[in-house]
């Protein structure tokens, strides 16, 4: 964070005249990160309440404390009252963002946000100093933390925006003020909290509120709900839509002649405005091609050179446990354990079906969480997709995945049901041989990486 006057950072939160001329050097939400001249924001939580550490933060040099209620030990002159800590973070981030002018892409959507963000980062980094959302910090704490990392040297930025309720993306977009927006697709993530895909569509379209008139908005032409938004006039006429895809012939940017490779995909990128480019990306699956197209569409319509944008897609680097390919004991493991929804499950299984495997294909599928009333049917559908994916055997982990196991078994696929990581590891160890490949996919809370770690450790002990 670049130093900023307190009265500028806290504008709209603190009463006029109540803030001094101090220079703020950081905004922190973790009491362990408190430093002199920072603003400490108290967040009440189920296990830990930041208000309990407010007085200590002042003792350690915090210039101001933002809190939901008065706190004993925090002097009035250092206290800023705000009913919502989340809103306070977003307001301060918006105030800070006003000081700088990097060219920014804002990314949202139900599936593929993080991968698309990384493709945007690969492109923008080819043109200048770029910052990005780290990990999945895409909420009302994470987005402000990303914006606070902007400095006068930042030339480009890519900011991922997620949500759990209507109104959140609007606040984030207004704070970030991206030069280009991007919506990957409208899926069923957050269906439990928003109630319908129509509401999810409305929530994702909130990214438009922070875009200036004439700004480009990259949209998936193959997504039925985004097409619905076009037909019903839900996309603001003041924006400049650019449509990307593979199937819709009217798309401005398309991928054709798509071919799977051992560690990626190759395709021809056809751009109605800039011509055709041969592209190879180090990411697996058709969904990764969509993510690459999205990043290219947003960056080029923001004014960046098309040929350089297309070439830079090859510099994409996977993050975390998103389709990371690991070789161990002669076997191939595709770690896709970061998160899961019906949409991403289908995409990963489709990718795995086409993956060039020397031996047999196995899948370890864990529960998809937070699906609400559609939980049973969604898992049954995954089981049917698994049965069509060329698998030799399916191993499931978790209570909801029993529905997937039932459907896969009905369709004739061999299935092993497991309830612990150890059971799953033992089952896979007995089934797999050198040359075989495994796809591991499930929601983050299922911790499927623990199964993989047991498999890797078992191979290491065998070799020793």
């Amino acid at each position: 964070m670049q130093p900023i006057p307190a009265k500028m950072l806290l504008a709209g939160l603190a009463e006029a005249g109540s803030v001094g001329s101090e220079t703020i050097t950081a905004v922190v939400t973790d009491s362990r990160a408190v430093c002199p001249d920072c603003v400490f924001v108290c967040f009440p939580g189920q296990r830990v309440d930041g208000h309990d550490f407010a007085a200590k933060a002042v003792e350690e040099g915090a210039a101001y404390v933002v809190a939901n209620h008065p706190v004993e030990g925090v002097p009035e002159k250092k206290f800023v009252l705000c009913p919502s800590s989340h809103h306070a973070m977003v307001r301060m981030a918006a105030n800070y963002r006003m000081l700088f002018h990097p060219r920014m892409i804002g990314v949202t959507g139900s599936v593929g946000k993080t991968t698309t963000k990384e493709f945007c980062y690969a492109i923008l980094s080819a043109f200048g100093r770029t910052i990005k959302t780290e990990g999945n910090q895409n909420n009302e704490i994470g987005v402000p933390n990303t914006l606070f990392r902007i400095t006068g040297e930042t030339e480009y930025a890519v900011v991922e925006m997620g949500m759990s309720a209507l109104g959140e993306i609007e606040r984030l977009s207004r704070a970030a003020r991206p030069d280009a927006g991007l919506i990957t697709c409208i899926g069923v993530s957050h269906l439990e909290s928003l109630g319908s895909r129509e509401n999810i569509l409305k929530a994702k379209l909130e990214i438009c509120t922070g875009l200036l008139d004439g700004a480009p908005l990259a949209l998936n032409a193959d997504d039925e709900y985004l097409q619905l938004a076009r037909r019903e006039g839900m996309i603001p006429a003041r924006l400049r839509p650019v449509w990307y895809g593979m199937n819709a012939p009217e798309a401005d940017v398309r991928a054709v002649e798509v071919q799977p490779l051992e560690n990626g995909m190759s395709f021809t990128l056809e751009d109605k405005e800039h011509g055709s480019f041969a592209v190879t990306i180090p990411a697996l699956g058709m969904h990764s091609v969509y993510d690459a197209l999205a990043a290219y569409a947003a960056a080029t319509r923001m004014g960046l050179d098309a040929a350089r944008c297309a070439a830079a897609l090859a510099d994409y680097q996977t993050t975390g446990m998103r389709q990371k390919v690991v070789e161990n004991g002669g076997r191939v493991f595709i770690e896709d354990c970061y998160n899961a929804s019906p949409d991403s499950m289908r995409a990963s299984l489709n990718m795995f079906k086409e993956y060039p495997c020397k031996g047999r294909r196995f899948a370890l599928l864990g529960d998809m969480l937070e699906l609400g009333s559609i939980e049973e049917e969604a898992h049954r559908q995954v089981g049917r997709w698994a049965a069509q994916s060329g698998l030799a055997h399916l191993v499931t982990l978790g209570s909801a995945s029993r529905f997937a196991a039932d459907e896969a078994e009905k369709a004739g696929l061999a299935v092993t049901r497991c309830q612990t990581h150890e059971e799953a590891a033992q089952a896979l160890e007995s089934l797999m041989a050198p040359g075989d490949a495994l796809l591991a996919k499930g929601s983050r809370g299922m911790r499927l990486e623990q199964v993989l770690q047991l498999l890797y450790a078992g191979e290491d002990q065998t070799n020793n």
Side-chain angles (χ1 to χ4, degrees):
M1 183 176 185
Q2 193 162 299
I4 178 175
K7 61 182 179 181
M8 186 176 294
L9 180 69
L10 294 167
L13 293 176
E15 293 183 10
S18 65
V19 174
S21 58
E22 302 97 330
T23 296
I24 304 301
T25 59
V27 176
V28 300
T29 59
D30 186 336
S31 62
R32 295 167 296 183
V34 168
C35 59
D37 301 319
C38 76
V39 171
F40 175 59
V41 184
C42 303
F43 276 87
Q46 293 182 343
R47 296 182 180 178
V48 178
D49 189 341
H51 293 81
D52 297 338
F53 302 92
K56 183 180 179 182
V58 172
E59 292 175 6
E60 294 178 352
Y64 292 94
V65 168
V66 175
N68 305 156
H69 55 75
V71 179
E72 185 177 352
V74 177
E76 185 177 351
K77 65 180 181 179
K78 290 182 175 290
F79 175 77
V80 177
L81 176 65
C82 185
S84 170
S85 302
H86 291 92
H87 292 186
M89 285 289 288
V90 174
R91 182 57 186 261
M92 285 188 286
N95 293 340
Y96 181 80
R97 165 72 171 94
M98 292 289 289
L99 300 179
F100 307 99
H101 305 283
R103 304 180 73 184
M104 181 186 296
I105 298 176
V107 177
T108 193
S110 294
V111 178
K113 291 188 297 294
T114 300
T115 301
T116 302
K117 172 202 67 180
E118 294 298 333
F119 274 116
C120 289
Y121 180 73
I123 291 175
L124 297 178
S125 296
F127 291 87
R129 290 175 177 155
T130 305
I131 69 163
K132 64 178 178 178
T133 300
E134 297 295 343
N136 69 331
Q137 295 185 31
N138 59 19
N139 60 16
E140 291 180 306
I141 299 176
V143 170
N145 283 337
T146 300
L147 297 178
F148 289 139
R149 288 171 40 226
I150 297 173
T151 70
E153 296 182 345
T154 306
E155 298 174 87
Y156 298 93
V158 52
V159 179
E160 179 183 333
M161 302 178 195
M163 60 86 199
S164 57
L166 288 166
E168 290 182 17
I169 290 179
E170 178 177 353
R171 289 190 289 273
L172 298 178
S173 183
R174 289 187 185 278
R177 294 187 300 112
D179 298 275
L182 192 163
I183 303 177
T184 61
C185 64
I186 307 301
V188 297
S189 300
H190 305 299
L191 192 61
E192 184 175 13
S193 58
L194 291 180
S196 70
R197 290 180 73 181
E198 287 78 10
N199 282 339
I200 295 171
L201 172 63
K202 292 176 183 177
K204 300 304 182 182
L205 284 170
E206 289 175 3
I207 196 171
C208 299
T209 58
L211 297 171
L212 296 176
D213 290 354
L217 176 65
L219 298 159
N220 186 341
D222 295 336
D223 185 278
E224 60 177 321
Y225 279 84
L226 290 174
Q227 288 288 5
L228 173 67
R230 173 168 28 193
R231 291 193 301 272
E232 298 194 357
M234 299 172 68
I235 301 166
R238 64 183 183 82
L239 300 181
R240 183 161 46 97
V242 52
W243 295 89
Y244 66 89
M246 284 184 251
N247 302 321
E250 74 276 13
D252 303 292
V253 175
R254 296 182 66 207
V256 299
E257 301 172 353
V258 181
Q259 296 292 330
L261 306 174
E262 186 172 355
N263 290 302
M265 305 290 288
S266 70
F267 58 93
T268 298
L269 189 156
E270 293 186 345
D271 185 341
K272 290 182 177 179
E273 188 171 318
H274 298 292
S276 298
F277 306 96
V279 174
T280 299
I281 58 173
L284 300 169
M286 301 294 280
H287 57 293
S288 296
V289 176
Y290 277 104
D291 298 338
L293 291 176
Y296 169 90
T300 54
R301 271 43 178 195
M302 200 167 66
L304 300 182
D305 180 76
R308 290 177 65 187
C309 289
L313 292 171
D315 297 327
Y316 164 86
Q317 294 183 15
T318 188
T319 60
M321 292 169 286
R322 292 178 172 86
Q323 294 194 348
K324 179 181 178 182
V325 179
V326 175
E327 294 187 17
N328 178 274
R331 304 164 296 181
V332 174
F333 297 86
I334 300 178
E335 299 180 355
D336 203 0
C337 314
Y338 193 80
N339 219 333
S341 67
D343 306 288
S344 64
M345 278 284 198
R346 184 176 190 178
S348 291
L349 286 167
N350 285 340
M351 171 278 298
F352 196 49
K353 184 177 181 179
E354 302 299 326
Y355 183 76
C357 173
K358 297 178 181 177
R360 300 166 297 167
R361 293 179 178 83
F362 295 82
L364 167 64
L365 301 183
D367 289 356
M368 300 177 291
L369 306 178
E370 300 179 7
L371 292 179
S373 61
I374 69 167
E375 178 183 85
E376 179 176 342
E377 178 51 35
H379 283 86
R380 289 191 182 280
Q381 181 61 69
V382 167
R384 292 190 285 268
W385 288 331
Q388 299 166 6
S389 299
L391 300 177
H393 201 104
L394 170 64
V395 175
T396 62
L397 178 64
S399 57
S401 289
R402 72 182 185 277
F403 301 121
D406 290 346
E407 294 300 317
E409 221 166 34
K410 284 181 187 177
L413 178 61
V415 177
T416 299
R417 298 168 172 81
C418 300
Q419 290 300 318
T420 68
H421 298 99
E422 291 76 15
E423 286 179 82
Q426 290 170 6
L428 289 165
E429 190 63 58
S430 66
L431 290 166
M432 295 182 69
D436 293 342
L438 171 75
L439 168 67
K441 179 77 173 173
S443 281
R444 188 73 196 92
M446 297 305 296
R447 306 287 180 186
L448 294 190
E449 71 275 10
Q450 294 182 15
V451 177
L452 300 178
Q453 289 164 5
L454 290 169
L455 288 168
Y456 300 158
E459 181 62 29
D460 291 340
Q461 292 172 5
T462 300
N463 292 336
N464 290 335

